[in-house]
Amino acid sequence: MRERITPLFSEAQIRARILELGSQLTQDYAGKDLVVIGLLNGVFPFIADLVRAMELDFDVSFMQVTSYGGGMHSTGEVHILKDLDLSIQGRHALVVEDIVDTGLTLFKVGNLLKDREPQSLKICTLLDKPSRRKVQVPVDYVGFTIEDHFVVGYGLDLEGKLRNLPYVGVYHP
Ligand code: 5GP
């Protein structure tokens, strides 16, 4: 598997960008009642590094939705597998995602969360592939904008594997 990967963002590049995002978020959410919401599974390395770059007090909770059926193409259907374990009503919600591709996942998750009446709802993603968008979703914080590549590593998987790579690379099937 690993021999089919071309490195795209190194550990050091990712770390540097997350420190920038962290200080931006620290400024933007100062004095606010914040809930950081991670979308499992792919977000785990990113959210672990991001929350440690934010010098604020906030809650962290996770949701799990399905999008890819284990292959390389989105099914377009999203199902909630695990829900938040806290209320976001009247609070500031920040959804953290590994990558925004078609936007369908965040569109669905965004609508579901808006029904819970947060005071604000914003999105932070490590990677953004705007050329693949099928529905428009406002992405407020982006680590890196990328071309239409299938990427793996740093949480992003190929059929469940490669999430543990410390860098992000392009997978060549
Ligand atoms: P969307 O609903 O925006 O099409 O897709 C979001 C989800 O699809 C991401 O959370 C991720 O799990 C998966 N995904 C989209 N693009 C890629 C990619 O290039 N590589 C990997 N490994 N997963 C992707």
Side-chain angles (χ1 to χ4, degrees):
M1 278 181 159
R2 290 182 182 220
E3 64 285 353
R4 294 185 172 275
I5 302 169
T6 316
L8 188 60
F9 300 112
S10 68
E11 262 187 279
Q13 282 174 299
I14 295 169
R15 194 180 316 118
R17 184 67 187 117
I18 289 177
L19 288 179
E20 291 175 357
L21 285 174
S23 62
Q24 182 71 54
L25 291 165
T26 301
Q27 277 182 33
D28 294 357
Y29 286 100
K32 294 184 175 165
D33 179 20
L34 172 65
V35 184
V36 175
I37 299 170
L39 295 191
L40 295 170
N41 287 323
V43 83
F44 72 90
F46 177 44
I47 200 168
D49 288 340
L50 185 70
V51 295
R52 286 180 292 174
M54 293 168 64
E55 295 174 30
L56 296 168
D57 297 331
F58 50 85
D59 285 332
V60 183
S61 188
F62 294 91
M63 283 185 95
Q64 188 174 16
V65 301
T66 56
S67 52
Y68 279 51
M72 291 184 53
H73 299 284
S74 178
T75 60
E77 287 192 23
V78 184
H79 302 284
I80 307 294
L81 297 180
K82 181 211 176 293
D83 208 339
L84 299 179
D85 57 1
L86 47 71
S87 168
I88 60 168
Q89 190 172 25
R91 312 179 69 187
H92 296 275
L94 176 69
V95 178
V96 183
E97 172 68 302
D98 51 3
I99 187 165
V100 185
D101 185 32
T102 63
L104 289 166
T105 307
L106 278 173
F107 183 73
K108 172 95 189 259
V109 169
N111 285 340
L112 193 127
L113 293 178
K114 276 182 212 150
D115 286 348
R116 299 179 189 183
E117 302 175 332
Q119 194 170 328
S120 72
L121 180 67
K122 290 196 172 179
I123 293 170
C124 175
T125 184
L126 177 68
L127 302 173
D128 188 14
K129 278 199 273 193
S131 63
R132 295 253 311 158
R133 212 66 103 242
K134 287 186 182 158
V135 286
Q136 286 312 313
V137 283
V139 185
D140 303 279
Y141 302 93
V142 177
F144 303 99
T145 300
I146 63 169
E147 302 292 308
D148 181 12
H149 300 304
F150 187 80
V151 286
V152 295
Y154 198 71
L156 291 148
D157 73 312
L158 175 69
E159 295 171 353
K161 305 285 196 297
L162 300 173
R163 293 194 198 275
N164 58 311
L165 292 180
Y167 60 91
V168 171
V170 177
Y171 186 79
H172 305 280

